[in-house]
Amino acid sequence: MRLRSLVAIAEHGAFSRAASVLGLAQPSLSRQIALLEQEVGRPLLYRHGRGARLTEDGRRLVEAARPLLAALDNLPASLDDPVPRGQVVLGVPTFMSAHLAASLFGELRQRHPFLRIRLVDGFSGFVNQWLTEGRLDIAILYDSRRSRAIAAELLAQEELLLFARRRRARDLPGEGPVPVSCLSRLDLVLPDPQHGLRRALHRAGAHPDPARLLEVDSLAAIRRLVELDIGWSVLPRAALTREALDRRYILRGIADPPLRARLMVAMSPTRPATPALRAVLAHLHATVARLQQSGIMSPLPVDGRGPASSAHGSATQKAP
């Protein structure tokens, strides 16, 4: 109110006219100016018989105050602004970042120029932790843990595939899907059990042999170890676009019907659904649908549900 009082006097040139515009008694207005001058430690107005004019310090303060007061006046309207704006921090599984980056920083940015995206990636367990710590606005998670701190909805169901160098085909004779029980006799390179992929395998009844298991929480390192023929690994279909085209590798499905992991889009249930968040959520759904149509990601099952082994433990709340 003190800054608004000073600006009113500057605009109307007299205490009486400024007091009338502000709806204040003149003594109250004089008190506001006295308190402001006391606060800044210098005179802001010269009083004279015809009114008052700004000192040099008063002029500088008024120039600085005008945009601040205008922003305050516009604040209610900005809260109702339907235009997506501001920053959204999005966390995704590592393999998804390459598939999403081009559309996020191209198509979405072009459609919403006031929207800024920060993209971070990691294994699902890490992304889950970052979301619950409040470091992310939105996250894509595999088989999200049931939690009051997370509201999630189904985004996709990705088929999980075994892959290795082709010379390891002798480990799994025959063709077609591999029974889950066979995983226990393979040399496997997998992430830690805290991550969604391992939880999906566990719920399907897969029990890797600890003596033959390497636990690696790095997608690049897992790929490199498989490339060096250290063993087999399991990744979602969308993570294996490169290997699927490389004749040096063999890819095998797991179980029949295919073992799938639920891919969820999640956020905190206490976070307001701003236009920016809604725009990013809509874009994620549209982009994943295109990836499914192109065959990069697994299409949804005909009945819309995966096998029972991949459906438990996911958050049931809906994201706003």
Side-chain angles (χ1 to χ4, degrees), residues 174-253:
E175 297 180 355
V178 176
V180 173
S181 59
C182 290
L183 272 64
S184 62
R185 64 173 188 256
L186 297 178
D187 297 317
L188 288 173
V189 184
L190 297 172
D192 182 89
Q194 69 172 308
H195 302 301
L197 186 147
R198 280 293 296 278
R199 294 200 305 276
L201 289 174
H202 178 75
R203 283 192 288 273
H207 301 291
D209 182 350
R212 308 181 71 170
L213 173 65
L214 300 180
E215 292 187 334
V216 181
D217 290 345
S218 164
L219 182 60
I222 287 175
R223 279 202 164 105
R224 179 59 175 161
L225 290 169
V226 172
E227 182 183 5
L228 294 174
D229 198 26
I230 301 301
W232 294 77
S233 189
V234 178
L235 286 174
R237 177 181 294 277
L240 295 169
T241 53
R242 183 178 66 188
E243 288 80 1
L245 299 174
D246 191 331
R247 293 184 59 83
R248 296 177 303 163
Y249 293 91
I250 180 173
L251 279 64
R252 299 284 295 271

Side-chain angles (χ1 to χ4, degrees), residues 137-139 150-154 264-269 271 273 278 281 285 315-320:
D137 297 305
I138 304 176
I150 294 176
E153 63 181 4
L154 182 67
M264 316 295 290
V265 61
M267 57 188 294
S268 167
R271 192 176 294 270
R278 288 196 293 269
L281 286 170
H285 280 282
T316 55
Q317 292 174 281
K318 293 290 184 181

Side-chain angles (χ1 to χ4, degrees), residues 22-132:
L22 294 173
L24 294 175
Q26 189 167 329
S28 296
L29 179 59
S30 297
R31 177 62 178 164
Q32 293 292 328
I33 296 301
L35 291 172
L36 182 59
E37 289 179 325
Q38 183 179 348
E39 187 175 351
V40 300
R42 61 197 67 187
L44 301 173
L45 291 167
Y46 292 121
R47 281 81 167 171
H48 53 79
R50 292 180 304 229
R53 64 183 178 88
L54 296 171
T55 64
E56 185 60 27
D57 290 324
R59 183 187 62 79
R60 287 198 296 269
L61 184 57
V62 166
E63 289 177 356
R66 278 191 172 117
L68 296 176
L69 293 172
L72 285 174
D73 290 339
N74 291 329
L75 187 58
S78 68
L79 292 176
D80 296 328
D81 186 358
V83 177
R85 64 178 72 244
Q87 184 181 74
V88 174
V89 185
L90 172 64
V92 302
T94 302
F95 80 90
M96 285 286 293
S97 59
H99 295 305
L100 294 175
S103 67
L104 285 170
F105 296 108
E107 176 187 340
L108 183 62
R109 189 174 183 181
Q110 186 175 11
R111 186 183 303 127
H112 303 298
F114 301 109
L115 180 62
R116 292 180 293 114
I117 301 293
R118 185 158 70 88
L119 181 65
V120 295
D121 67 23
F123 272 101
S124 187
F126 298 142
V127 176
N128 192 310
Q129 179 180 343
W130 299 335
L131 179 64
T132 56

Side-chain angles (χ1 to χ4, degrees), residues 279-299:
V280 174
L281 286 170
H283 182 78
L284 290 175
H285 280 282
T287 303
V288 166
R290 289 198 297 266
L291 291 171
Q292 291 171 330
Q293 292 168 2
S294 67
I296 293 174
M297 293 184 69
S298 305

Side-chain angles (χ1 to χ4, degrees), residues 157-161 177 237 253-261 298 301 305-310:
Q157 294 188 54
E158 271 288 87
E159 183 180 0
L160 299 181
L161 299 174
R237 177 181 294 277
I254 304 172
D256 187 15
L259 177 62
R260 294 172 178 262
S298 305
R305 300 187 304 273
S309 60
S310 68

Side-chain angles (χ1 to χ4, degrees), residues 298-315:
S298 305
L300 282 172
V302 174
D303 64 358
R305 300 187 304 273
S309 60
S310 68
H312 300 302
S314 298

